[in-house]
Amino acid sequence: LRIVLLGPPGAGKGTQAALLKEKFGIPHISTGEIFREEIEKGSALGIRIREFVSKGILVPDEIVVEVVKNRLSASDCINGWILDGFPRTLNQAKLLDKILQNMEQKIDIAIYIDVPEEEAIRRLLSRGRGDDKICTLKRRFKEYLNKTAPVIEYYKEKGLLVMINGVGSIEEVHLRILNALKEKRIIN
Ligand code: AMP
């Protein structure tokens, strides 16, 4: 089961990914989470990326793609994965296809969790992560609109995209995702 989760900051991708991980026993791969850990550790990678992350700017594609490539080649990814927060640019999406082609793997579904911007901002401000300050948030939304919107179109054209209404309780949204997987005959 190979899932790509898409949606604006605050859509609930991380929350839903955690539930899917639990249900299907496959790893939840969040590039944002990996980056925060590396920054915390003060690793060479962390030092390279911390400015981008703290400002809400996208980390350069070549860095992100290298990280994802390594992560996907780990043994726990053999039966599937949930990608959360990647790909975020059209270039990343195309590079992901190449990586998967080499691994003889395919994305089963790209799930777009749709939440209006006001609702997303409300959720993010209540979460209060380091990069959730209002000015950084605006930057992250701008990055999202400019760079991530084409990714949605890309998966739509490939017939992989499913839109999910992200407004409602965590459990409601989770059930909508499971229904989408059933409708596409990805699960029974
Ligand atoms: P997230 O936890 O997904 O909200 O990501 C937090 C921050 O990490 C983003 O604002 C970016 O600076 C960086 N980041 C995470 N994923 C990516 C990605 N796929 N491409 C570029 N930057 C990313």
Side-chain angles (χ1 to χ4, degrees):
L1 182 55
R2 299 187 178 90
I3 303 175
V4 169
L5 280 183
L6 302 166
K13 298 186 292 294
T15 306
Q16 294 301 327
L19 291 175
L20 294 170
K21 168 190 166 157
E22 187 83 355
K23 177 146 181 88
F24 298 111
I26 49 176
H28 165 202
I29 303 173
S30 157
T31 43
E33 199 54 53
I34 294 172
F35 291 156
R36 281 186 291 279
E37 278 169 20
E38 294 297 322
I39 292 168
E40 184 71 27
K41 279 193 283 185
S43 68
L45 172 64
I47 291 165
R48 275 173 86 195
I49 61 173
R50 65 185 173 197
E51 289 297 307
F52 297 104
V53 174
S54 69
K55 289 184 180 140
I57 298 171
L58 291 185
V59 170
D61 287 345
E62 57 278 15
I63 301 179
V64 192
V65 168
E66 195 56 34
V67 165
V68 171
K69 194 167 143 188
N70 287 334
R71 184 64 189 88
L72 290 179
S73 61
S75 59
D76 64 335
C77 289
I78 290 174
N79 293 322
W81 33 254
I82 305 138
L83 279 176
D84 158 19
F86 179 92
R88 271 228 203 10
T89 65
L90 193 53
N91 186 41
Q92 287 179 13
K94 289 180 178 167
L95 291 170
L96 174 62
D97 281 347
K98 284 218 182 98
I99 293 169
L100 295 178
Q101 210 172 20
N102 286 332
M103 301 175 80
E104 294 181 10
Q105 294 184 357
K106 272 199 183 117
I107 296 167
D108 291 305
I109 190 169
I111 300 172
Y112 179 82
I113 305 179
D114 189 25
V115 168
E117 186 169 326
E118 313 83 79
E119 165 74 7
I121 289 181
R122 201 183 53 74
R123 292 181 185 180
L124 290 167
L125 289 175
S126 72
R127 177 174 76 178
R129 204 171 71 195
D131 58 346
D132 286 342
K133 308 275 175 300
I134 189 75
C135 59
T136 319
L137 274 182
K138 289 204 170 128
R139 187 73 138 294
R140 281 164 52 209
F141 268 96
K142 206 172 151 214
E143 288 280 78
Y144 176 77
L145 288 177
N146 289 336
K147 296 182 182 154
T148 310
V151 176
I152 297 160
E153 209 43 48
Y154 181 73
Y155 288 124
K156 196 188 270 177
E157 276 165 25
K158 286 178 164 272
L160 288 174
L161 190 79
V162 169
M163 292 266 201
I164 299 284
N165 174 9
V167 180
S169 71
I170 291 171
E171 191 55 27
E172 275 166 355
V173 177
H174 178 61
L175 289 175
R176 286 177 199 145
I177 292 177
L178 294 183
N179 278 330
L181 292 170
K182 283 178 193 154
E183 272 172 28
K184 282 213 129 199
R185 308 207 176 277
I186 295 166
I187 61 167
N188 290 316

